Amino acid sequence: MLFKLLVLFSFLIVLLLLRRLVNIMPSLMACMIRGKESLNLEASVKLSLDRDALALAMIIPFCLVSFRYRLYSPGFIEEMADDSVLGVYFAVFASYLLLRFMMTWLFRPQKLPKKTYVAADKASRSFFIVYTLLLLAMGGIFGLADVQDAVSRDAMLWVSAFMYLLFLLRKTQIFSTSCSVFAGFLYLCALEMIPTGILVVSAIIF
């Protein structure tokens, strides 16, 4: 019941923001192709605000599709009721965002220009929108084709890995506009790989 209500709610929210999504999609796709486009997007107040609103709206759909296909499946959720498992997904997502925020605050490089750092940090929101839309599209196609959940889950995890690697590459390119590639890689280790590593390890250990 809770799942269906959240599906309806998220559908209505995305529907309200559909015009913004259509307008910003060319910029989002450009960010997938070149790291510099994230700097251009961040320089536009309207585009950056629309991107932030859409990223916020995508949280519920992302958690729902992750729950539906168990993209995060630690052992302790196996005996839990569906509503409780759904709550765990939202809690884990919130914890991941909090951890990333802490890393961003703790490891803020003093010598890096603020606009570069902000663009690199918020690039995750652009990728998150595209990534969530991909998962939703895959879920719809798999559902119509009656693909087994295990196969669907594996396909989504491979897409997740690809999108994450692409995001790391583009974020490195953003950093490299103001620092060396090696320094940019070190920033990535602290800002992205630590939170993601903890997320992956938690799914394996627990």
Side-chain angles (χ1 to χ4, degrees):
M1 184 64 179
L2 178 60
F3 179 84
K4 293 180 179 179
L5 288 175
L6 289 176
V7 168
L8 178 61
F9 177 74
S10 60
F11 175 77
L12 293 175
I13 295 297
V14 173
L15 191 63
L16 290 173
L17 297 174
L18 186 59
R19 178 173 293 182
R20 294 189 186 187
L21 178 60
V22 172
N23 290 337
I24 200 176
M25 185 55 70
S27 295
L28 294 179
M29 297 312 298
C31 291
M32 304 296 108
I33 299 172
R34 294 196 306 165
K36 185 179 179 181
E37 293 300 328
S38 292
L39 292 166
N40 296 334
L41 190 153
E42 204 59 40
S44 170
V45 175
K46 183 180 186 307
L47 287 178
S48 62
L49 288 176
D50 287 348
R51 186 270 319 278
D52 293 348
L54 285 165
L56 186 63
M58 290 294 164
I59 292 177
I60 295 179
F62 171 74
C63 289
L64 291 177
V65 73
S66 298
F67 162 78
R68 170 63 181 80
Y69 292 98
R70 295 299 195 270
L71 300 185
Y72 175 79
S73 56
F76 72 88
I77 68 172
E78 294 180 359
E79 304 300 326
M80 298 174 63
D82 283 349
D83 286 353
S84 298
V85 174
L86 185 56
V88 169
Y89 273 80
F90 280 99
V92 169
F93 186 83
S95 300
Y96 178 73
L97 290 183
L98 179 60
L99 184 57
R100 288 188 78 254
F101 175 78
M102 291 174 59
M103 295 297 104
T104 302
W105 178 71
L106 287 173
F107 295 100
R108 167 73 168 91
Q110 300 300 319
K111 295 183 179 180
L112 200 68
K114 183 178 179 181
K115 67 176 183 179
T116 302
Y117 189 68
V118 170
D121 178 47
K122 292 188 177 181
S124 60
R125 302 178 186 182
S126 301
F127 277 81
F128 177 65
I129 295 169
V130 176
Y131 170 51
T132 302
L133 291 175
L134 275 175
L135 292 183
L136 292 172
M138 292 175 69
I141 293 172
F142 292 152
L144 290 174
D146 198 25
V147 178
Q148 293 182 355
D149 284 354
V151 176
S152 301
R153 178 179 182 271
D154 289 343
M156 288 182 175
L157 289 177
W158 277 109
V159 169
S160 301
F162 172 78
M163 287 295 295
Y164 186 68
L165 290 175
L166 181 62
F167 165 62
L168 293 181
L169 174 61
R170 298 294 176 245
K171 191 164 184 175
T172 301
Q173 291 175 337
I174 297 171
F175 280 138
S176 65
T177 62
S178 300
C179 66
S180 67
V181 175
F182 179 71
F185 176 75
L186 292 180
Y187 291 144
L188 279 181
C189 290
L191 301 175
E192 296 295 340
M193 296 182 187
I194 291 177
T196 304
I198 292 175
L199 178 66
V200 173
V201 169
S202 70
I204 296 174
I205 295 179
F206 300 107

